Amino acid sequence: MERAVPLAVPLGQAEVFQALQRLHMTIFSQSVSPCGKFLAAGNNYGQIAVFSLSAALSSEAKEESKKPVVTFQAHDGPVYSMVSTDRHLLSAGDGEVKAWLWVEMLKKGCKELWCHQPPYRTSLEVPEINALLLIPKENSLLLAGGDCQLHVMDLETGTFTRALRGHTDYIHCLALRERSPEVLSGGEDGAVRLWDLRNSKEVQTIEVYKHEECSRPHNGRWIGCLATDSDWMVCGGGPALTLWHLRSSTPTTIFPMRAPQKHVTFYQDLILSAGQGCCVNQWQLSGELKAQVPGSSPGLLSLSLNQQPTAPECKVLTAAGNSCRVDVFTNLGYRAFSLSF
């Protein structure tokens, strides 16, 4: 008598839906908690997941340690950007920015502390907010995105105090010059604009695509990432990833990377970048590619360096993008493991 072959138990509709969600997930944003022991990640479904870095990095870590401590619905649309203050996580979606208390987020049923919408030209306009930037000396928050403006919000009162206008297409990225009250913005119009926050004036414009050595017309003119360090700026996107001397508006190093880059940051004597492709790229300031470290996502949209002095055991680099995973690099040489939604 033949033994009956057990049939596979069909997945329930909820399980199928979750599997499809994970398959098509994109993680747009990340932010480390003030204590340095937790990482928040925001995805294209409007969800925020909070991971315990300390548990995942523990010598006793299990697979369950790499799953979220909590996941909650934060926005109706994608979570494009996040930043952390000393108490709050701020998240941005389509036309709104919300605040969440870090201590409350680790509990089930977390509720937003507040939700604010920048003043848009019409009530029908709901542009995405692509970038958030804290201005600690002013206790203010800078928001930028689809309406081509930089909005300044007072964090104490929640009021929008002014708008900086100059971009002619939507804005992708922001960076702060910490030694001076100046902010840089990069956008779809191909320009990096430098703003003086004391008088809300645009004081410098670098149209990167107009420089022949940077231009790559087949990729477009858009600026997708930028970072600053004193008088230096690095930016990329459609044009080549390039190191600039800001005072002279001069490109000093063109990095030999064909794929458009979506995130860039200065780290010690290196520049780290990521974009199309699975690798985190490590560059010498001279333009030499020191290393390419592969991750698990086919494309990367954000890098996060956890350098909180309160949690030196959690000092890691995390990278996320076109998958449901956040890659964790305990040193810059290799991917140690991945956290997963």
Side-chain angles (χ1 to χ4, degrees), residues 252-309:
T252 61
T253 306
I254 312 292
F255 298 96
M257 170 59 62
R258 295 178 66 183
Q261 298 297 278
K262 303 290 184 69
H263 195 111
V264 67
T265 187
F266 287 92
Y267 177 65
Q268 296 176 353
D269 59 347
L270 296 173
I271 287 172
L272 308 179
S273 76
Q276 288 183 10
C278 67
C279 291
V280 176
N281 308 298
Q282 301 174 27
W283 302 96
Q284 306 277 14
L285 297 180
S286 63
E288 180 187 345
L289 182 60
K290 183 181 178 185
Q292 285 187 302
V293 186
S296 63
S297 298
L300 295 172
L301 298 173
S302 74
L303 301 175
S304 176
L305 278 162
N306 182 6
Q307 301 186 80
Q308 291 287 4

Side-chain angles (χ1 to χ4, degrees), residues 58-80:
S58 163
S59 57
E60 298 172 4
K62 301 177 177 147
E63 277 309 302
E64 202 58 32
S65 310
K66 296 163 190 171
K67 295 286 185 185
V69 178
V70 64
T71 303
F72 61 93
Q73 192 70 36
H75 297 269
D76 292 334
V79 185
Y80 293 113

Side-chain angles (χ1 to χ4, degrees), residues 183-259:
V183 163
L184 291 98
S185 58
E188 195 72 14
D189 57 6
V192 173
R193 301 181 191 272
L194 182 64
W195 309 85
D196 188 328
L197 293 176
R198 291 167 296 194
N199 56 22
S200 303
K201 299 282 189 191
E202 182 180 339
V203 293
Q204 187 177 356
T205 304
I206 299 174
E207 293 179 298
V208 179
Y209 66 96
K210 289 187 176 178
H211 292 255
E212 189 177 349
E213 61 269 52
C214 308
S215 177
R216 299 188 301 186
H218 59 286
N219 285 336
R221 60 173 65 175
W222 55 278
I223 300 298
C225 60
L226 60 85
T228 59
D229 186 357
S230 187
D231 287 334
W232 299 92
M233 172 190 76
V234 61
C235 67
L241 188 70
T242 308
L243 181 67
W244 292 76
H245 184 248
L246 284 172
R247 286 193 185 180
S248 60
S249 297
T250 306
T252 61
T253 306
I254 312 292
F255 298 96
M257 170 59 62
R258 295 178 66 183

Side-chain angles (χ1 to χ4, degrees), residues 325-339:
R325 293 176 295 279
V326 179
D327 292 333
V328 179
F329 302 81
T330 48
N331 66 46
L332 293 184
Y334 70 99
R335 177 177 67 92
F337 58 87
S338 298
L339 305 169

Side-chain angles (χ1 to χ4, degrees), residues 7-46:
L7 294 173
V9 179
L11 286 171
Q13 284 188 326
E15 287 89 346
V16 170
F17 178 73
Q18 286 176 351
L20 285 171
Q21 261 202 339
R22 285 164 53 82
L23 185 65
H24 296 287
M25 190 176 291
T26 296
I27 299 173
F28 284 109
S29 52
Q30 305 177 63
S31 186
V32 175
S33 66
C35 68
K37 295 182 178 179
F38 296 93
L39 176 75
N43 69 19
N44 55 323
Y45 302 117

Side-chain angles (χ1 to χ4, degrees), residues 76-239:
D76 292 334
V79 185
Y80 293 113
S81 184
M82 295 193 295
V83 292
S84 286
T85 69
D86 56 358
R87 295 178 60 223
H88 303 116
L89 174 72
L90 308 180
S91 63
D94 288 319
E96 63 184 14
V97 59
K98 294 184 178 183
W100 316 83
L101 272 171
W102 268 104
V103 292
E104 293 293 324
M105 274 200 302
L106 301 176
K107 303 173 185 175
K108 302 290 184 187
C110 173
K111 286 190 168 49
E112 69 203 49
L113 198 63
W114 49 254
C115 176
H116 296 305
Q117 297 178 326
Y120 294 125
R121 286 183 286 263
T122 71
S123 58
L124 298 175
E125 188 178 31
V126 189
E128 74 277 11
I129 298 172
N130 292 323
L132 297 176
L133 182 67
L134 291 169
I135 314 293
K137 289 179 182 175
E138 290 190 2
N139 192 31
S140 62
L141 176 71
L142 208 57
L143 305 80
D147 71 338
C148 316
Q149 302 178 65
L150 287 77
H151 297 274
V152 183
M153 189 187 91
D154 185 305
L155 279 170
E156 190 171 336
T157 63
T159 55
F160 287 91
T161 57
R162 58 199 191 275
L164 313 181
R165 299 179 179 92
H167 281 282
T168 57
D169 209 333
Y170 57 87
I171 301 164
H172 287 296
C173 48
L174 298 169
L176 178 67
R177 289 186 79 185
E178 294 190 8
R179 294 181 189 174
S180 57
E182 294 176 338
V183 163
L184 291 98
S185 58
E188 195 72 14
D189 57 6
V192 173
R193 301 181 191 272
L194 182 64
W195 309 85
D196 188 328
L197 293 176
R198 291 167 296 194
N199 56 22
S200 303
K201 299 282 189 191
E202 182 180 339
V203 293
Q204 187 177 356
T205 304
I206 299 174
E207 293 179 298
V208 179
Y209 66 96
K210 289 187 176 178
H211 292 255
E212 189 177 349
E213 61 269 52
C214 308
S215 177
R216 299 188 301 186
H218 59 286
N219 285 336
R221 60 173 65 175
W222 55 278
I223 300 298
C225 60
L226 60 85
T228 59
D229 186 357
S230 187
D231 287 334
W232 299 92
M233 172 190 76
V234 61
C235 67

